[in-house]
Amino acid sequence: MEYRHLGKAGIRVSALSFGSWVTFHNQADVQSAVEMMAAAYDAGVNFFDNAEAYAGGKSEEVMGAAFKQLKWRRGSFLVSTKFYWGLNDGVNENHTLNRKRLIEGINGSLERFQLDYVDLIYCHRPDKTTPIEETVWAMHNIIEWGKALYWGTSEWSAAEIVSAIEIANRHHLHKPVTEQPVYNLFERHRFTREYERVYKEYGYGTTTWSPLASGLLTGKYNAGIPQGSRATLQGYDWLREDLTNKEKIAKVQALEPLAKELGCTLSQLALAWCLKNPYVSTVITGASRVEQVHENMKAVEIAPMLTPEILEQIDSIFGVKQEEED
Ligand SMILES: NC(=O)c1ccc[n+]([C@@H]2O[C@H](COP(=O)([O-])OP(=O)(O)OC[C@H]3O[C@@H](n4cnc5c(N)ncnc54)[C@H](OP(=O)(O)O)[C@@H]3O)[C@@H](O)[C@H]2O)c1
């Protein structure tokens, strides 16, 4: 496994990490979580991603129970959670980054994880109605109290990120160190263009999500929706249209000869492509079964095989011209 600094922060994250969105509680019980987390850890993964909203808090409970069983040294892994959507309908309790909610949020998460602290907390989305200054102060206080060690943003605009960093700098507060953006062969525009300034000028890190576009890039949807896949799950109907999009599937099919040439699977090729971007600190992988973890972890061996010529071929399949990337 390769380890990369989380932007300018002192900690290093494994280039491939492991997250629990959709899967924990819905598809994986504690035993299955233990199996998958152990497979990831044995492959060198040191970062496990979660959020209070995943499975309404149950995802944190499952991961916490898995940590208990796995008995890993606390210094050997990093765990995160995120706040924004909330768990209740109260007026101050959802779609918000207000101080009250963030502080109640971290206390609830630590209880569900059965941990004294998490390593990273994220603002899961921007909140246009709470002043960024209030959010920055709350995140700073949570860190000062030792309940979290670093903080970051997820799907914030570059302008919002810069504003948070500048507020923190002005008041000598803990500043956010990383963004958690979507990044995969289909969705790269914001990552490569909008955020360039925050990587270059502010040394911001990135922990990227949905590297396989929810499974579409594995090729599993090429011949329809397979039984037990994410597209069949109750509550995830909104993903189905994308996962069965004919144009997207044609692009996935066009990647197949390239994967064959490289002697790897489509999943490994799609993950390896994410790893090639030097602004990616870690690619957060997802899996519903341990076999997927074993397969996906091998992507670190494929990344060095992606030459500039192969990357160009991939770009032409996905209809990206080099000048669009620059
Ligand atoms: N910050 C945010 O807003 C945000 C949003 C989304 C995700 N995330 C984070 O990013 C993590 C990864 O996102 P993601 O789960 O969407 O990642 P993904 O890699 O795009 O999709 C993972 C899913 O694809 C399928 N899959 C994975 N490997 C496979 C393989 N080798 N063969 C066949 N199928 C395979 C599995 O679903 P099935 O087996 O069910 O088909 C798996 O659960 C999440 O767990 C979460 O931590 C963050």
Side-chain angles (χ1 to χ4, degrees), residues 205-271:
T206 60
T207 63
T208 63
W209 59 267
S210 287
L212 298 175
S214 273
L216 179 57
L217 284 160
T218 67
K220 72 195 297 176
Y221 294 98
N222 286 2
I225 298 179
Q227 269 306 315
S229 62
R230 185 173 288 185
T232 64
L233 300 179
Q234 218 186 343
Y236 292 91
D237 331 27
W238 54 277
L239 276 174
R240 216 165 290 151
E241 198 179 314
D242 216 36
L243 291 172
T244 53
N245 178 299
K246 286 203 174 72
E247 276 175 33
K248 288 190 169 177
I249 286 174
K251 288 177 180 170
V252 176
Q253 283 168 332
L255 266 187
E256 268 170 2
L258 210 50
K260 211 166 184 189
E261 213 177 287
L262 291 163
C264 68
T265 64
L266 279 173
S267 313
Q268 290 162 348
L269 177 56
L271 292 168

Side-chain angles (χ1 to χ4, degrees), residues 8-146:
K8 265 198 329 200
I11 43 166
R12 288 193 297 160
V13 282
S14 46
L16 291 178
S17 46
F18 186 75
S20 64
W21 178 53
V22 182
T23 56
F24 281 24
H25 180 70
N26 295 318
Q27 292 173 291
D29 60 10
V30 175
Q31 255 349 90
S32 165
V34 164
E35 231 189 338
M36 290 195 283
M37 287 165 65
Y41 188 80
D42 290 346
V45 165
N46 75 348
F47 170 42
F48 296 85
D49 186 62
N50 215 319
E52 74 166 4
Y54 294 170
K58 296 270 190 263
S59 173
E60 291 176 328
E61 284 176 14
V62 169
M63 192 176 272
F67 285 138
K68 270 247 139 79
Q69 283 196 36
L70 288 159
K71 295 191 171 69
W72 295 333
R73 202 165 26 78
R74 185 65 185 87
S76 71
F77 68 94
L78 304 158
V79 55
S80 70
T81 194
K82 317 186 196 81
F83 308 105
Y84 173 70
W85 279 284
L87 296 173
N88 294 292
D89 289 336
V91 65
N92 290 314
E93 295 178 275
N94 59 75
H95 297 82
T96 182
L97 297 172
N98 73 59
R99 177 177 181 80
K100 175 175 165 64
R101 180 75 260 290
L102 290 173
I103 288 162
E104 289 171 357
I106 185 66
N107 290 338
S109 288
L110 293 180
E111 236 171 75
R112 286 186 292 275
F113 275 126
Q114 305 180 62
L115 291 173
D116 299 328
Y117 66 92
V118 290
D119 299 276
L120 255 164
I121 43 173
Y122 292 91
C123 295
H124 211 155
R125 288 294 179 271
D127 168 10
K128 311 279 181 206
T129 65
T130 298
I132 292 184
E133 187 157 353
E134 176 173 334
T135 299
V136 173
W137 269 104
M139 297 305 254
H140 169 80
N141 289 144
I142 291 169
I143 291 175
E144 285 292 289
W145 298 330

